[in-house]
Every structure is written in structure tokens, then in C-alpha cells.
Amino acid sequence: GAGVSQSPRYKVAKRGQDVALRCDPISGHVSLFWYQQALGQGPEFLTYFQNEAQLDKSGLPSDRFFAERPEGSVSTLKIQRTQQEDSAVYLCASSPSLGDLGYEQYFGPGTRLTVT
Amino acid sequence: QKEVEQNSGPLSVPEGAIASLNCTYSDRVSQSFFWYRQYSGKSPELIMSIYSNGDKEDGRFTAQLNKASQYVSLLIRDSQPSDSATYLCAGGVEYGNKLVFGAGTILRVKS
């Protein structure tokens, strides 16, 4: 079946611009996660949704970052007034888990954001 | 101490050999552990999950978990050049199973 999809795959933004990154999870997956991956590092957790509820946003680095999943499927990660330090790959993952430990997460291809 | 730690490598092994990748974790990490493979410029691909002490085998891959020593390892038998990638170790934390990743170990399989 179809995996997790993300768009755009690449985004170049000028410092100060707002960007919106989209994630389409695997059909039927309840949980959706956003991660940020810097070059040479492992992904770092940003936020987590169970259906439409954002249950954990502890990893969002500042109030410029905002995520939503209004209908419990597609999610959007928005970054306002982008800064150079926001340059990274943004990964979305989905899982069939209802929040229990041990369920596997499947990643999309990521969006590479470059802020100039 | 980082929550999940890996040797960054690179680990170089000849084709056909066994590659051994290791990972240690802190108390905050839960009982679910995952190995992801990441090719350059691509996203992480799940290759193994393990939840209980002991070994779990899947094809050429074996994951090993030792909760008492807080380490998890991945063995790749009959390594192939196509196995050359970065291997990420991850552990689930807290309700919701958000993952904490190590920085990854670069594996190079030489033909």
C-alpha cells in the first residue's frame, strides 16, 4: 500500500518567510509524528498527534513552530518567520498505535528546508 | 548522558562478513527499540524492532536486547555493499511512543 508522503520535498525560503510542510500518513494510522533531522544527526522529536489531538508538542523549538491535524489524517507543520537555524530535513512518521509503547513508526521521504 | 548513544563509526567490514552495531540507552528510554537504516539523502527505513530480552532474527538481521546492561545491538550477516548506510538506533519514551534516536553509525561494506 501507499506509504507516508510529504510535500514539498524541497523548500527554499528567505529568512523571515513563513513555510507550510504537509504530511499524508499511511491510511488508517492513528498516530502521527513530526521529527527534525540536522545533517549528521538522528531525527529529533517535535510533536505528536493521536487522531486530531495534539498530545505532545514538547519538542517544538519555539513558538514560531505550529502543527495541526484538523481531521485526523493530513497534518501540516508551519514555521513562521523562518530563521537559518530552521534549515533541516523535516520528517513525518505515522503509526497504527493508539499510544501504546512498542508500535512501529514509518517515515515519509522528508522535506528538506533551506533558509537563505 | 545522551538518552541513546551510538558509535558514529565509520564501521568498515568486508563483503560477506558480520557487521555488529551497538547502542546503549538511558533509564528514560522504554522497553521498545528499533533499528532504522538510512541511505544518504533518504529517510529512515525501519528494519528491526525488539521489545524483549534476547535475540530476534529476520533474514540476515539479528537484533539483541539486554535490558540489564541497557544495550541493544544489530548484527548483519553476510554483509553486502548495498548494506552500506547509516544505522539509527531508536528507543520509545513516554506515552505515545515518541522515539529518541542515536546519532547513527555509518557502515561501509567493502567488496
Side-chain angles (χ1 to χ4, degrees):
Chain A
V4 179
S5 62
Q6 293 185 245
S7 62
R9 293 293 311 280
Y10 303 91
K11 177 69 179 178
V12 179
K14 292 186 176 179
R15 189 161 56 100
Q17 283 185 331
D18 298 349
V19 298
L21 313 180
R22 176 188 168 105
C23 173
D24 274 278
I26 294 172
S27 178
H29 277 197
V30 172
S31 296
L32 185 146
F33 303 81
W34 284 98
Y35 293 85
Q36 180 190 60
Q37 187 173 25
L39 192 63
Q41 299 298 315
E44 290 197 4
F45 171 81
L46 294 177
T47 187
Y48 155 61
F49 290 87
Q50 187 180 109
N51 294 308
E52 69 278 3
Q54 188 175 21
L55 299 186
D56 187 340
K57 54 182 181 179
S58 62
L60 295 177
S62 77
D63 58 8
R64 296 186 296 104
F65 287 72
F66 171 76
E68 60 183 4
R69 193 187 184 197
E71 298 179 357
S73 55
V74 170
S75 176
T76 304
L77 176 67
K78 297 179 179 178
I79 309 173
Q80 297 177 323
R81 305 180 303 281
T82 53
Q83 303 295 315
Q84 284 194 319
E85 60 263 28
D86 300 335
S87 296
V89 175
Y90 291 85
L91 295 163
C92 176
S94 71
S95 169
S97 166
L98 286 172
D100 297 336
L101 296 173
Y103 280 81
E104 300 167 342
Q105 295 181 26
Y106 300 90
F107 283 84
T111 295
R112 182 178 298 275
L113 173 65
T114 303
V115 181
T116 61
Chain B
Q1 180 195 7
K2 290 187 177 180
E3 293 175 310
V4 176
E5 295 205 58
Q6 298 180 253
N7 187 322
S8 62
L11 172 66
S12 292
V13 300
E15 184 175 357
I18 296 175
S20 177
L21 304 161
N22 300 306
C23 170
T24 58
Y25 60 90
S26 71
D27 291 341
R28 196 169 87 92
V29 180
S30 74
Q31 301 180 24
S32 56
F33 299 91
F34 307 90
W35 284 99
Y36 286 83
R37 177 176 62 198
Q38 187 170 30
Y39 292 113
S40 181
K42 303 295 185 182
S43 63
E45 174 192 7
L46 180 67
I47 54 174
M48 288 288 286
S49 59
I50 187 165
Y51 315 119
S52 304
N53 264 336
D55 296 359
K56 179 182 177 182
E57 186 175 319
D58 184 1
R60 295 187 298 112
F61 299 100
T62 299
Q64 299 174 318
L65 175 59
N66 184 321
K67 294 180 183 177
S69 300
Q70 294 184 291
Y71 83 77
V72 57
S73 63
L74 179 70
L75 300 178
I76 306 174
R77 290 181 298 281
D78 188 25
S79 296
Q80 301 297 309
S82 59
D83 294 326
S84 298
T86 297
Y87 288 80
L88 297 164
C89 172
V93 297
E94 300 175 2
Y95 179 79
N97 204 37
K98 68 183 183 184
L99 297 179
V100 175
F101 285 83
T105 298
I106 298 170
L107 173 65
R108 293 179 181 156
V109 181
K110 298 183 177 181
S111 58

